[in-house]
Amino acid sequence: MNQKSKEELFPIFRHAWEAILVLLVLYFLVMFIPAGLVYLIPLEELTNPELITFSIRFVFLSLYFFVLWPKFRYPKSYSQISEYLEKILLKKPNHSWELRLGLMTAGITLCCSFIAVLLTGSFILDFSTILPPTSWYILTSIIPGVFEEICFRGILLSIFLKTPRGNPKNAIIASSIIFGLFHFTNLLTALSVYTIIQAIISIFGGIMFAYLTIKTNSIFPAMISHYLIDVFAPLVFNAPEANLILYGGLLVIVGFLLSTIVNIKIIDYFINKRDQNSSINTHFETSDEKSGI
């Protein structure tokens, strides 16, 4: 990569790893520090700390990704936000039906995970795990569903794709490993084996989200899939009495490894079908032009 192309890609950063490091450190700070301020307020004065934390995070993350970060990568002026959104694939896919791939991949992942949890013999059906007022996952899942996709599939994946070795396979694997490892930051709030399991399954989930993003050229399908998985995860993963080794192994292998393989096959099927139809339409249009129709 010559000096000119480096400057175009990273106007402030000299190397891709510098941009990635700053991206993740700032994301971590914006995620945890503002929300941590909530707990400095006496608990008896908080009517609903979960919703207050969500609101603070939503505002700060919106400012980070739509105001601050565009200035790192496009420092000319804030009026270039449309170009920034295009670069991070925050745009509608070329075909509206591709959004349904988000629904489909979420459904497959949740079904495989449900089978995995059932195999532990400890599943408990409890709708209160996802419904207000006991739980606000239907709202708080917007944070990972939207902003993790912007960070890891929109910005991070695009950075890897534009590096010298940035072929799609390497970019998907690298961004997904970082995505999984980033979940270890949850150990700061809860020292739990579940956090380790979450980090591992997030790598496979990241592979599926990244693959879906590249194939549809948009992060919206991945956002839909990620949000739905996070919303229903407390309901589907609910096996508090399960053996952790069995629970974690089944969830990793059946819930996410298997579902990722199946989802990639399904994504390929529909995308290949799309490309075939596009080729046929192009062929007929060319034939019509040659025949003067």
Side-chain angles (χ1 to χ4, degrees), residues 110-166:
L110 290 168
C111 285
C112 288
S113 298
F114 184 56
I115 292 171
V117 176
L118 281 178
L119 290 174
T120 67
S122 302
F123 174 73
I124 297 176
L125 181 62
D126 183 3
F127 287 100
S128 68
T129 57
I130 61 171
L131 295 176
T134 306
S135 170
W136 291 93
Y137 269 93
I138 194 169
L139 186 62
T140 59
S141 293
I142 292 173
I143 296 293
V146 172
F147 295 109
E148 283 187 1
E149 290 309 308
I150 291 175
C151 181
F152 292 96
R153 258 62 67 182
I155 300 173
L156 185 63
L157 184 64
S158 68
I159 291 175
F160 278 121
L161 285 170
K162 293 176 182 177
T163 55
R165 297 181 181 179

Side-chain angles (χ1 to χ4, degrees), residues 20 23-24 27 65 144 146-160 171-172 174-183 206 209-210 213 219 226:
I20 293 170
L23 170 70
L24 296 178
Y27 180 57
F65 286 117
V146 172
F147 295 109
E148 283 187 1
E149 290 309 308
I150 291 175
C151 181
F152 292 96
R153 258 62 67 182
I155 300 173
L156 185 63
L157 184 64
S158 68
I159 291 175
F160 278 121
I172 288 171
S175 64
S176 300
I177 290 174
I178 292 175
F179 177 60
L181 293 177
F182 191 83
H183 282 76
F209 296 142
T213 297
I219 61 174
H226 194 160

Side-chain angles (χ1 to χ4, degrees), residues 207-283:
I207 290 172
M208 187 269 288
F209 296 142
Y211 194 79
L212 182 59
T213 297
I214 287 177
K215 287 296 184 178
T216 61
N217 199 36
S218 168
I219 61 174
F220 279 122
M223 280 183 175
I224 293 171
S225 184
H226 194 160
Y227 170 75
L228 291 174
I229 291 171
D230 280 12
V231 165
F232 291 101
L235 175 67
V236 173
F237 295 2
N238 192 29
E241 303 300 324
N243 178 281
L244 281 179
I245 296 177
L246 178 63
Y247 176 84
L250 286 170
L251 203 54
V252 169
I253 296 172
V254 179
F256 279 79
L257 175 58
L258 177 61
S259 68
T260 297
I261 294 172
V262 173
N263 278 327
I264 287 175
K265 295 295 183 181
I266 288 176
I267 293 168
D268 279 341
Y269 171 78
F270 284 102
I271 295 302
N272 289 337
K273 191 173 181 180
R274 177 201 66 185
D275 294 342
Q276 289 173 3
N277 290 337
S278 178
S279 298
I280 292 172
N281 291 336
T282 301
H283 171 74

Side-chain angles (χ1 to χ4, degrees), residues 9 11 13 23 27 61-91 146-147 149-156 158-159 162 219 223:
L9 180 57
F13 309 110
L23 170 70
Y27 180 57
L61 286 169
S62 297
L63 290 173
Y64 174 45
F65 286 117
F66 298 115
V67 179
L68 178 59
W69 187 257
K71 294 188 181 298
F72 277 118
R73 297 199 59 194
Y74 306 99
K76 298 176 183 179
S77 66
Y78 183 60
S79 63
Q80 299 298 317
I81 187 66
S82 59
E83 180 185 357
Y84 165 70
L85 297 179
E86 180 80 17
K87 293 289 184 181
I88 66 171
L89 304 180
L90 191 60
K91 59 181 181 178
V146 172
F147 295 109
E149 290 309 308
I150 291 175
C151 181
F152 292 96
R153 258 62 67 182
I155 300 173
L156 185 63
S158 68
I159 291 175
K162 293 176 182 177
I219 61 174
M223 280 183 175

